[in-house]
Amino acid sequence: MKSRSHRYRLFSEMLREVFFQAKGQWKFILVAALSILAISVLEFIIPQWTKAVIDQVIPQQQVAALFELGAAIVGAALLLGVFRFVSSFVMTIVSQGAISQLRNKLYQHTVNLDLNFFDRNRTGDLMSRLTSDVNQLQSEGDAPS
């Protein structure tokens, strides 16, 4: 039971650190959140319009409405693509900024360590470990959802 609470504490500290790293980029996070909201709305509206075309416009042979709804569906699909790009792009900016801040913080911590620490540990191993850990964090953030 002790190891579970210890893991929970480490996980909560890690989340707190990640949120702290992204704290200064709230404008980008807001843009991404609004883009995700727009994506959700468009992903709901497009099938509804398609249903209206199939159930009402085509059976009633309303050609003008068919062109209007068709144009609206194409426009919504284009907007959906734009909002998906914006969301992805902005979240990439936020994640890269957080990773950069984390790298700088780790570098500052490593530089300020006692010289005896470097006598006990090989510098190449330390740098390899730091680089590997940050790269793993970055690759987990880039994983498709």
Side-chain angles (χ1 to χ4, degrees):
M1 193 65 147
K2 184 178 179 183
S3 77
R4 177 179 264 178
S5 65
H6 179 70
R7 280 186 284 178
Y8 176 76
R9 188 171 46 84
L10 288 176
F11 182 71
S12 64
E13 288 174 12
M14 181 186 70
L15 281 178
R16 194 173 323 120
E17 182 68 27
V18 168
F19 285 124
F20 177 74
Q21 296 301 328
K23 182 178 69 170
Q25 300 180 1
W26 65 270
K27 291 178 185 177
F28 287 122
I29 294 171
L30 181 63
V31 168
L34 292 174
S35 294
I36 291 170
L37 181 64
I39 289 168
S40 299
V41 168
L42 288 171
E43 285 181 343
F44 175 76
I45 288 176
I46 292 173
Q48 297 300 318
W49 287 345
T50 305
K51 178 184 179 291
V53 167
I54 293 170
D55 292 345
Q56 297 168 0
V57 175
I58 292 176
Q60 296 172 6
Q61 297 178 349
Q62 299 172 341
V63 176
L66 179 62
F67 285 120
E68 289 174 8
L69 273 173
I73 291 170
V74 169
L78 290 173
L79 275 175
L80 184 61
V82 168
F83 282 121
R84 282 185 177 161
F85 171 77
V86 167
S87 172
S88 175
F89 183 75
V90 170
M91 288 311 292
T92 299
I93 290 172
V94 169
S95 67
Q96 291 301 320
I99 293 292
S100 176
Q101 289 177 1
L102 183 61
R103 276 191 179 124
N104 290 338
K105 189 174 181 179
L106 284 171
Y107 175 76
Q108 287 300 323
H109 177 76
T110 305
V111 167
N112 292 327
L113 288 173
D114 187 39
L115 288 178
N116 290 331
F117 176 80
F118 293 103
D119 287 339
R120 292 188 310 268
N121 299 289
R122 296 188 323 194
T123 305
D125 290 342
L126 293 173
M127 295 310 294
S128 175
R129 176 71 188 265
L130 288 174
T131 303
S132 173
D133 289 350
V134 171
N135 286 341
Q136 184 177 4
L137 252 177
Q138 185 174 4
S139 68
E140 287 178 11
D142 294 340
S145 46

